[in-house]
Amino acid sequence: MGGVIHVCTGNQARSPMAHRLMEEGLRDRYGPAADSVFVTSGGTQGPPGRPMQPFAIAELERRGVSAHDFVSQVLDLDAVARAHLVLTATREHRDQIVAQVPQALHFTFTWRELAWLVRGLKPDEVPGSYAVERAANLARVAKQRRGYLQPLPPEQFDIADPMGGTRQDYRVAADQIEEAVETILGVV
């Protein structure tokens, strides 16, 4: 199946915002061909069947992105094993996934980590003629850049959980997610 899976804890704020921002960004860039890249999200702890948090919805709407019909789901580890990319809110989420699905080490990053690794790349530096091919090759290209870039403090790769926080907490999280997703999409 492949595709891109976005992950946070409850799949009610950070990962659904990233999920919808990536879908919208792919549509803006590729039109109907964007549907070739399967994008989904899940939470490491659930609960399934919940709507997106109201402040997360407000942040998507502020950006012109629909949150319509979103329902939280628990992360499917079989889907992780088949994914092209697994993108997480924090290093802790990344580590949990890799501990449960060891082969995911090769294609699991935090959003901000992957954005850091691909920032400055030109689109032609990621092999593939189609968005789905480019998404599938992105992890390999990003991994090759490790060791060539000036390391950042590790905590800069995480996006804080806004759950239970203020509207401003959601705005900060949404801004950080949007910046990372836009950087990633710039080379897909």
Side-chain angles (χ1 to χ4, degrees):
M1 175 168 64
V4 180
I5 303 173
H6 296 278
V7 182
C8 68
T9 304
N11 193 220
Q12 295 178 58
R14 292 172 292 178
S15 58
M17 287 192 289
H19 174 169
R20 292 296 172 94
L21 286 165
M22 182 166 276
E23 283 180 329
E24 187 68 24
L26 286 166
R27 271 193 295 279
D28 287 349
R29 286 167 173 78
Y30 294 103
D35 292 339
S36 68
V37 181
F38 181 70
V39 179
T40 190
S41 61
T44 58
Q45 297 180 19
R50 300 278 174 90
M52 197 181 306
Q53 289 292 306
F55 286 154
I57 293 170
E59 285 304 314
L60 286 177
E61 289 174 348
R62 199 164 87 59
R63 291 161 170 78
V65 176
S66 174
H68 184 69
D69 288 338
F70 183 86
V71 178
S72 68
Q73 57 188 4
V74 175
L75 182 62
D76 177 349
L77 295 178
D78 290 332
V80 166
R82 296 185 308 268
H84 293 127
L85 279 173
V86 178
L87 301 175
T88 69
T90 67
R91 291 167 292 140
E92 182 179 337
H93 294 116
R94 182 194 61 204
D95 295 348
Q96 288 172 359
I97 290 165
V98 170
Q100 295 175 73
V101 184
Q103 70 264 33
L105 173 66
H106 303 292
F107 51 84
T108 302
F109 306 86
T110 73
W111 295 304
R112 295 176 91 185
E113 176 186 22
L114 184 58
W116 167 70
L117 287 167
V118 302
R119 187 171 282 114
L121 281 177
K122 294 176 179 52
D124 63 355
E125 293 179 82
V126 179
S129 300
Y130 302 101
V132 68
E133 294 171 317
R134 299 170 69 70
N137 289 318
L138 192 55
R140 182 178 48 78
V141 171
K143 282 180 28 185
Q144 290 171 349
R145 290 177 54 91
R146 279 202 169 111
Y148 292 97
L149 301 175
Q150 179 67 33
L152 298 177
E155 62 275 1
Q156 288 190 12
F157 292 136
D158 295 343
I159 294 177
D161 191 351
M163 289 285 285
T166 66
R167 179 180 292 270
Q168 182 60 27
D169 294 330
Y170 280 82
R171 180 152 302 156
V172 167
D175 287 346
Q176 292 173 343
I177 293 165
E178 182 177 39
E179 179 183 357
V181 167
E182 284 299 313
T183 299
I184 294 163
L185 289 174
V187 295
V188 169

Short mmCIF file of all heavy atoms in Angstrom, two decimals, residues 124-180:
data_model
loop_
_atom_site.label_atom_id
_atom_site.label_comp_id
_atom_site.label_asym_id
_atom_site.label_seq_id
_atom_site.Cartn_x
_atom_site.Cartn_y
_atom_site.Cartn_z
N ASP A 124 14.47 17.92 -8.15
CA ASP A 124 15.08 16.91 -9.03
C ASP A 124 16.11 16.05 -8.29
O ASP A 124 16.64 15.09 -8.86
CB ASP A 124 15.68 17.54 -10.27
CG ASP A 124 16.82 18.51 -9.98
OD1 ASP A 124 17.11 18.79 -8.79
OD2 ASP A 124 17.42 19.00 -10.95
N GLU A 125 16.39 16.35 -7.03
CA GLU A 125 17.31 15.53 -6.25
C GLU A 125 16.60 14.34 -5.58
O GLU A 125 17.26 13.51 -4.96
CB GLU A 125 18.01 16.38 -5.19
CG GLU A 125 18.95 17.41 -5.80
CD GLU A 125 19.64 18.26 -4.76
OE1 GLU A 125 20.65 17.80 -4.21
OE2 GLU A 125 19.14 19.37 -4.50
N VAL A 126 15.29 14.28 -5.71
CA VAL A 126 14.51 13.14 -5.22
C VAL A 126 14.02 12.39 -6.45
O VAL A 126 13.26 12.93 -7.24
CB VAL A 126 13.32 13.58 -4.34
CG1 VAL A 126 12.52 12.37 -3.88
CG2 VAL A 126 13.81 14.38 -3.14
N PRO A 127 14.47 11.14 -6.66
CA PRO A 127 14.11 10.40 -7.86
C PRO A 127 12.61 10.14 -7.97
O PRO A 127 11.93 9.95 -6.97
CB PRO A 127 14.86 9.08 -7.72
CG PRO A 127 15.83 9.25 -6.62
CD PRO A 127 15.36 10.38 -5.78
N GLY A 128 12.16 10.12 -9.21
CA GLY A 128 10.77 9.77 -9.49
C GLY A 128 10.09 10.80 -10.37
O GLY A 128 10.34 11.99 -10.24
N SER A 129 9.25 10.30 -11.26
CA SER A 129 8.51 11.18 -12.16
C SER A 129 7.16 11.58 -11.59
O SER A 129 6.58 12.58 -12.00
CB SER A 129 8.27 10.48 -13.50
OG SER A 129 9.51 10.14 -14.09
N TYR A 130 6.65 10.79 -10.65
CA TYR A 130 5.31 11.01 -10.10
C TYR A 130 5.40 11.21 -8.60
O TYR A 130 6.34 10.74 -7.95
CB TYR A 130 4.40 9.82 -10.41
CG TYR A 130 4.29 9.55 -11.88
CD1 TYR A 130 5.02 8.53 -12.47
CD2 TYR A 130 3.47 10.34 -12.69
CE1 TYR A 130 4.94 8.28 -13.82
CE2 TYR A 130 3.38 10.10 -14.05
CZ TYR A 130 4.13 9.08 -14.62
OH TYR A 130 4.05 8.86 -15.96
N ALA A 131 4.42 11.88 -8.04
CA ALA A 131 4.41 12.18 -6.61
C ALA A 131 4.56 10.93 -5.76
O ALA A 131 5.30 10.92 -4.78
CB ALA A 131 3.13 12.93 -6.23
N VAL A 132 3.89 9.85 -6.13
CA VAL A 132 3.97 8.63 -5.34
C VAL A 132 5.39 8.05 -5.36
O VAL A 132 5.88 7.56 -4.33
CB VAL A 132 2.91 7.59 -5.80
CG1 VAL A 132 3.21 7.05 -7.18
CG2 VAL A 132 2.78 6.48 -4.78
N GLU A 133 6.07 8.13 -6.48
CA GLU A 133 7.46 7.65 -6.55
C GLU A 133 8.38 8.53 -5.71
O GLU A 133 9.28 8.03 -5.03
CB GLU A 133 7.95 7.67 -8.00
CG GLU A 133 7.25 6.71 -8.91
CD GLU A 133 7.64 6.94 -10.36
OE1 GLU A 133 7.73 8.11 -10.81
OE2 GLU A 133 7.86 5.93 -11.06
N ARG A 134 8.15 9.82 -5.79
CA ARG A 134 8.98 10.76 -5.04
C ARG A 134 8.78 10.58 -3.54
O ARG A 134 9.75 10.60 -2.77
CB ARG A 134 8.69 12.18 -5.49
CG ARG A 134 9.01 12.37 -6.99
CD ARG A 134 8.50 13.69 -7.52
NE ARG A 134 9.24 14.78 -6.95
CZ ARG A 134 10.50 15.07 -7.23
NH1 ARG A 134 11.16 14.32 -8.08
NH2 ARG A 134 11.10 16.08 -6.68
N ALA A 135 7.55 10.38 -3.11
CA ALA A 135 7.27 10.12 -1.69
C ALA A 135 7.96 8.83 -1.25
O ALA A 135 8.53 8.76 -0.15
CB ALA A 135 5.77 10.05 -1.44
N ALA A 136 7.93 7.82 -2.10
CA ALA A 136 8.55 6.54 -1.78
C ALA A 136 10.07 6.66 -1.67
O ALA A 136 10.70 5.94 -0.89
CB ALA A 136 8.18 5.49 -2.83
N ASN A 137 10.68 7.56 -2.42
CA ASN A 137 12.14 7.71 -2.42
C ASN A 137 12.65 8.74 -1.41
O ASN A 137 13.84 8.83 -1.17
CB ASN A 137 12.62 8.11 -3.82
CG ASN A 137 12.50 6.97 -4.79
OD1 ASN A 137 12.82 5.83 -4.45
ND2 ASN A 137 12.03 7.26 -5.99
N LEU A 138 11.75 9.50 -0.83
CA LEU A 138 12.15 10.61 0.04
C LEU A 138 12.93 10.14 1.27
O LEU A 138 13.93 10.77 1.65
CB LEU A 138 10.93 11.42 0.46
CG LEU A 138 11.20 12.75 1.12
CD1 LEU A 138 12.08 13.63 0.25
CD2 LEU A 138 9.90 13.46 1.43
N ALA A 139 12.52 9.05 1.91
CA ALA A 139 13.22 8.58 3.10
C ALA A 139 14.68 8.23 2.79
O ALA A 139 15.59 8.59 3.54
CB ALA A 139 12.50 7.37 3.70
N ARG A 140 14.91 7.56 1.68
CA ARG A 140 16.27 7.17 1.30
C ARG A 140 17.14 8.41 1.08
O ARG A 140 18.28 8.48 1.57
CB ARG A 140 16.24 6.30 0.05
CG ARG A 140 17.62 5.81 -0.37
CD ARG A 140 17.55 4.90 -1.60
NE ARG A 140 16.74 5.41 -2.69
CZ ARG A 140 17.14 6.34 -3.55
NH1 ARG A 140 18.34 6.88 -3.45
NH2 ARG A 140 16.35 6.73 -4.53
N VAL A 141 16.62 9.39 0.38
CA VAL A 141 17.37 10.61 0.11
C VAL A 141 17.66 11.35 1.42
O VAL A 141 18.78 11.81 1.66
CB VAL A 141 16.61 11.51 -0.89
CG1 VAL A 141 17.27 12.87 -1.02
CG2 VAL A 141 16.51 10.83 -2.25
N ALA A 142 16.66 11.42 2.29
CA ALA A 142 16.83 12.12 3.56
C ALA A 142 17.89 11.43 4.42
O ALA A 142 18.76 12.10 5.00
CB ALA A 142 15.50 12.17 4.31
N LYS A 143 17.85 10.12 4.48
CA LYS A 143 18.83 9.38 5.29
C LYS A 143 20.25 9.61 4.80
O LYS A 143 21.19 9.66 5.59
CB LYS A 143 18.50 7.89 5.29
CG LYS A 143 17.36 7.53 6.21
CD LYS A 143 17.01 6.07 6.21
CE LYS A 143 18.16 5.19 5.89
NZ LYS A 143 17.85 3.79 5.77
N GLN A 144 20.42 9.77 3.49
CA GLN A 144 21.75 10.00 2.93
C GLN A 144 22.33 11.35 3.36
O GLN A 144 23.53 11.54 3.38
CB GLN A 144 21.71 9.93 1.40
CG GLN A 144 21.46 8.54 0.89
CD GLN A 144 21.20 8.52 -0.61
OE1 GLN A 144 20.99 9.54 -1.25
NE2 GLN A 144 21.18 7.32 -1.17
N ARG A 145 21.45 12.27 3.73
CA ARG A 145 21.90 13.61 4.13
C ARG A 145 22.33 13.68 5.59
O ARG A 145 22.97 14.64 6.00
CB ARG A 145 20.81 14.63 3.84
CG ARG A 145 20.63 14.84 2.35
CD ARG A 145 19.52 15.78 2.00
NE ARG A 145 19.58 17.07 2.63
CZ ARG A 145 20.17 18.15 2.13
NH1 ARG A 145 20.80 18.09 0.97
NH2 ARG A 145 20.12 19.30 2.77
N ARG A 146 21.97 12.66 6.37
CA ARG A 146 22.41 12.63 7.77
C ARG A 146 23.93 12.61 7.79
O ARG A 146 24.57 11.93 7.01
CB ARG A 146 21.88 11.39 8.47
CG ARG A 146 20.48 11.54 8.91
CD ARG A 146 20.19 10.55 10.04
NE ARG A 146 18.91 10.88 10.63
CZ ARG A 146 17.82 10.14 10.53
NH1 ARG A 146 17.85 9.00 9.89
NH2 ARG A 146 16.71 10.54 11.09
N GLY A 147 24.50 13.34 8.70
CA GLY A 147 25.95 13.38 8.79
C GLY A 147 26.57 14.48 7.95
O GLY A 147 27.73 14.81 8.13
N TYR A 148 25.80 15.04 7.01
CA TYR A 148 26.29 16.13 6.18
C TYR A 148 25.75 17.47 6.64
O TYR A 148 26.22 18.51 6.20
CB TYR A 148 25.91 15.93 4.71
CG TYR A 148 26.62 14.76 4.09
CD1 TYR A 148 26.01 13.52 3.99
CD2 TYR A 148 27.92 14.89 3.62
CE1 TYR A 148 26.66 12.44 3.44
CE2 TYR A 148 28.59 13.82 3.06
CZ TYR A 148 27.96 12.60 2.97
OH TYR A 148 28.61 11.53 2.42
N LEU A 149 24.75 17.44 7.50
CA LEU A 149 24.11 18.68 7.96
C LEU A 149 24.52 18.98 9.40
O LEU A 149 24.76 18.06 10.18
CB LEU A 149 22.59 18.53 7.89
CG LEU A 149 22.00 18.23 6.53
CD1 LEU A 149 20.50 17.99 6.63
CD2 LEU A 149 22.29 19.36 5.55
N GLN A 150 24.56 20.24 9.72
CA GLN A 150 24.85 20.66 11.09
C GLN A 150 23.70 20.20 11.99
O GLN A 150 22.56 20.57 11.75
CB GLN A 150 24.99 22.19 11.15
CG GLN A 150 25.27 22.73 12.52
CD GLN A 150 26.64 22.33 13.04
OE1 GLN A 150 27.58 22.19 12.28
NE2 GLN A 150 26.74 22.12 14.33
N PRO A 151 23.98 19.35 12.98
CA PRO A 151 22.91 18.84 13.83
C PRO A 151 22.20 19.95 14.61
O PRO A 151 22.82 20.94 14.98
CB PRO A 151 23.62 17.89 14.80
CG PRO A 151 24.95 17.64 14.22
CD PRO A 151 25.28 18.80 13.34
N LEU A 152 20.93 19.75 14.82
CA LEU A 152 20.13 20.65 15.65
C LEU A 152 19.98 20.02 17.03
O LEU A 152 20.08 18.81 17.18
CB LEU A 152 18.75 20.83 15.03
CG LEU A 152 18.68 21.47 13.66
CD1 LEU A 152 17.24 21.50 13.17
CD2 LEU A 152 19.24 22.88 13.70
N PRO A 153 19.68 20.83 18.04
CA PRO A 153 19.35 20.24 19.33
C PRO A 153 18.14 19.31 19.15
O PRO A 153 17.16 19.69 18.50
CB PRO A 153 18.99 21.44 20.20
CG PRO A 153 19.66 22.61 19.53
CD PRO A 153 19.66 22.29 18.06
N PRO A 154 18.20 18.09 19.67
CA PRO A 154 17.15 17.09 19.41
C PRO A 154 15.73 17.57 19.73
O PRO A 154 14.79 17.23 19.01
CB PRO A 154 17.54 15.91 20.29
CG PRO A 154 18.99 16.07 20.52
CD PRO A 154 19.27 17.54 20.49
N GLU A 155 15.57 18.37 20.77
CA GLU A 155 14.22 18.81 21.15
C GLU A 155 13.58 19.69 20.07
O GLU A 155 12.36 19.85 20.04
CB GLU A 155 14.22 19.51 22.51
CG GLU A 155 15.05 20.77 22.58
CD GLU A 155 16.54 20.54 22.86
OE1 GLU A 155 16.98 19.38 22.99
OE2 GLU A 155 17.26 21.53 22.91
N GLN A 156 14.38 20.22 19.16
CA GLN A 156 13.81 21.03 18.08
C GLN A 156 13.08 20.19 17.04
O GLN A 156 12.42 20.73 16.16
CB GLN A 156 14.90 21.88 17.41
CG GLN A 156 15.36 23.01 18.28
CD GLN A 156 16.24 23.98 17.54
OE1 GLN A 156 16.35 23.96 16.32
NE2 GLN A 156 16.86 24.87 18.29
N PHE A 157 13.20 18.88 17.14
CA PHE A 157 12.49 18.00 16.22
C PHE A 157 11.07 17.68 16.69
O PHE A 157 10.31 17.06 15.97
CB PHE A 157 13.26 16.70 16.00
CG PHE A 157 14.56 16.89 15.26
CD1 PHE A 157 15.69 16.25 15.70
CD2 PHE A 157 14.65 17.70 14.15
CE1 PHE A 157 16.90 16.39 15.02
CE2 PHE A 157 15.84 17.87 13.47
CZ PHE A 157 16.97 17.21 13.91
N ASP A 158 10.72 18.04 17.91
CA ASP A 158 9.41 17.72 18.49
C ASP A 158 8.44 18.87 18.34
O ASP A 158 8.83 20.04 18.30
CB ASP A 158 9.55 17.41 19.98
CG ASP A 158 10.36 16.16 20.27
OD1 ASP A 158 10.55 15.34 19.34
OD2 ASP A 158 10.80 16.01 21.41
N ILE A 159 7.15 18.52 18.28
CA ILE A 159 6.07 19.50 18.31
C ILE A 159 5.24 19.20 19.55
O ILE A 159 4.71 18.09 19.70
CB ILE A 159 5.22 19.46 17.03
CG1 ILE A 159 6.08 19.90 15.85
CG2 ILE A 159 3.97 20.32 17.18
CD1 ILE A 159 5.41 19.84 14.51
N ALA A 160 5.16 20.17 20.44
CA ALA A 160 4.46 19.99 21.72
C ALA A 160 2.98 19.68 21.50
O ALA A 160 2.35 20.17 20.56
CB ALA A 160 4.61 21.23 22.59
N ASP A 161 2.45 18.86 22.39
CA ASP A 161 1.04 18.48 22.33
C ASP A 161 0.18 19.63 22.84
O ASP A 161 0.29 20.03 23.99
CB ASP A 161 0.81 17.24 23.21
CG ASP A 161 -0.54 16.61 22.99
OD1 ASP A 161 -1.40 17.21 22.30
OD2 ASP A 161 -0.75 15.50 23.53
N PRO A 162 -0.72 20.16 22.00
CA PRO A 162 -1.57 21.26 22.43
C PRO A 162 -2.83 20.81 23.20
O PRO A 162 -3.56 21.65 23.72
CB PRO A 162 -1.97 21.93 21.11
CG PRO A 162 -2.02 20.80 20.14
CD PRO A 162 -0.90 19.87 20.57
N MET A 163 -3.07 19.50 23.27
CA MET A 163 -4.28 19.00 23.93
C MET A 163 -4.41 19.58 25.33
O MET A 163 -3.47 19.55 26.12
CB MET A 163 -4.27 17.47 24.02
CG MET A 163 -4.47 16.78 22.70
SD MET A 163 -6.15 16.83 22.10
CE MET A 163 -6.92 15.64 23.17
N GLY A 164 -5.60 20.13 25.61
CA GLY A 164 -5.86 20.74 26.91
C GLY A 164 -5.31 22.15 27.02
O GLY A 164 -5.47 22.79 28.05
N GLY A 165 -4.68 22.63 25.96
CA GLY A 165 -4.08 23.96 25.97
C GLY A 165 -4.99 25.02 25.39
O GLY A 165 -6.18 24.80 25.12
N THR A 166 -4.41 26.16 25.18
CA THR A 166 -5.13 27.32 24.66
C THR A 166 -5.17 27.31 23.14
O THR A 166 -4.45 26.54 22.48
CB THR A 166 -4.43 28.62 25.12
OG1 THR A 166 -3.14 28.67 24.49
CG2 THR A 166 -4.27 28.67 26.64
N ARG A 167 -5.96 28.21 22.60
CA ARG A 167 -5.99 28.40 21.15
C ARG A 167 -4.59 28.71 20.62
O ARG A 167 -4.18 28.23 19.57
CB ARG A 167 -6.96 29.52 20.78
CG ARG A 167 -7.04 29.80 19.29
CD ARG A 167 -8.01 30.91 18.97
NE ARG A 167 -9.37 30.54 19.23
CZ ARG A 167 -10.19 29.95 18.35
NH1 ARG A 167 -9.74 29.66 17.15
NH2 ARG A 167 -11.42 29.67 18.67
N GLN A 168 -3.83 29.49 21.40
CA GLN A 168 -2.46 29.84 20.99
C GLN A 168 -1.57 28.60 20.93
O GLN A 168 -0.73 28.48 20.05
CB GLN A 168 -1.87 30.89 21.95
CG GLN A 168 -0.48 31.34 21.56
CD GLN A 168 -0.41 31.99 20.17
OE1 GLN A 168 -1.37 32.56 19.68
NE2 GLN A 168 0.75 31.90 19.54
N ASP A 169 -1.75 27.66 21.85
CA ASP A 169 -0.98 26.41 21.81
C ASP A 169 -1.24 25.65 20.51
O ASP A 169 -0.32 25.10 19.91
CB ASP A 169 -1.32 25.52 23.01
CG ASP A 169 -0.90 26.13 24.33
OD1 ASP A 169 0.08 26.89 24.38
OD2 ASP A 169 -1.59 25.86 25.34
N TYR A 170 -2.50 25.63 20.10
CA TYR A 170 -2.86 24.96 18.84
C TYR A 170 -2.29 25.72 17.65
O TYR A 170 -1.84 25.11 16.68
CB TYR A 170 -4.38 24.83 18.71
CG TYR A 170 -4.93 23.68 19.51
CD1 TYR A 170 -5.18 23.81 20.87
CD2 TYR A 170 -5.20 22.46 18.90
CE1 TYR A 170 -5.68 22.75 21.61
CE2 TYR A 170 -5.71 21.39 19.64
CZ TYR A 170 -5.94 21.55 20.99
OH TYR A 170 -6.43 20.49 21.72
N ARG A 171 -2.29 27.03 17.73
CA ARG A 171 -1.75 27.83 16.62
C ARG A 171 -0.26 27.58 16.47
O ARG A 171 0.24 27.41 15.35
CB ARG A 171 -2.02 29.32 16.85
CG ARG A 171 -1.46 30.17 15.72
CD ARG A 171 -2.20 31.45 15.50
NE ARG A 171 -3.59 31.16 15.22
CZ ARG A 171 -4.59 32.02 15.41
NH1 ARG A 171 -4.34 33.22 15.88
NH2 ARG A 171 -5.82 31.70 15.13
N VAL A 172 0.47 27.54 17.58
CA VAL A 172 1.91 27.28 17.52
C VAL A 172 2.16 25.90 16.91
O VAL A 172 2.99 25.74 16.01
CB VAL A 172 2.55 27.40 18.92
CG1 VAL A 172 3.96 26.83 18.94
CG2 VAL A 172 2.55 28.85 19.38
N ALA A 173 1.43 24.89 17.38
CA ALA A 173 1.60 23.53 16.84
C ALA A 173 1.27 23.51 15.35
O ALA A 173 2.02 22.93 14.55
CB ALA A 173 0.73 22.54 17.61
N ALA A 174 0.16 24.13 14.97
CA ALA A 174 -0.25 24.14 13.56
C ALA A 174 0.78 24.87 12.70
O ALA A 174 1.09 24.41 11.59
CB ALA A 174 -1.62 24.80 13.41
N ASP A 175 1.33 25.97 13.18
CA ASP A 175 2.35 26.70 12.42
C ASP A 175 3.59 25.83 12.21
O ASP A 175 4.15 25.78 11.12
CB ASP A 175 2.75 27.98 13.15
CG ASP A 175 1.70 29.08 13.09
OD1 ASP A 175 0.75 28.97 12.27
OD2 ASP A 175 1.82 30.04 13.88
N GLN A 176 4.02 25.13 13.26
CA GLN A 176 5.20 24.27 13.16
C GLN A 176 4.94 23.10 12.20
O GLN A 176 5.81 22.75 11.40
CB GLN A 176 5.60 23.76 14.53
CG GLN A 176 6.14 24.84 15.44
CD GLN A 176 6.39 24.34 16.85
OE1 GLN A 176 5.89 23.30 17.28
NE2 GLN A 176 7.16 25.11 17.60
N ILE A 177 3.77 22.51 12.30
CA ILE A 177 3.42 21.39 11.41
C ILE A 177 3.36 21.88 9.96
O ILE A 177 3.92 21.25 9.07
CB ILE A 177 2.09 20.75 11.83
CG1 ILE A 177 2.25 20.05 13.19
CG2 ILE A 177 1.58 19.78 10.78
CD1 ILE A 177 0.93 19.70 13.87
N GLU A 178 2.68 22.99 9.76
CA GLU A 178 2.54 23.52 8.39
C GLU A 178 3.90 23.83 7.78
O GLU A 178 4.16 23.48 6.62
CB GLU A 178 1.67 24.76 8.40
CG GLU A 178 1.43 25.34 7.01
CD GLU A 178 0.51 26.53 7.04
OE1 GLU A 178 0.60 27.37 7.98
OE2 GLU A 178 -0.31 26.65 6.11
N GLU A 179 4.79 24.43 8.54
CA GLU A 179 6.12 24.75 8.03
C GLU A 179 6.86 23.48 7.63
O GLU A 179 7.46 23.40 6.55
CB GLU A 179 6.92 25.50 9.08
CG GLU A 179 8.33 25.83 8.63
CD GLU A 179 9.16 26.53 9.70
OE1 GLU A 179 8.65 26.82 10.80
OE2 GLU A 179 10.34 26.77 9.42
N ALA A 180 6.80 22.45 8.48
CA ALA A 180 7.48 21.18 8.17
C ALA A 180 6.86 20.51 6.95
O ALA A 180 7.58 20.06 6.05
CB ALA A 180 7.43 20.26 9.39
#
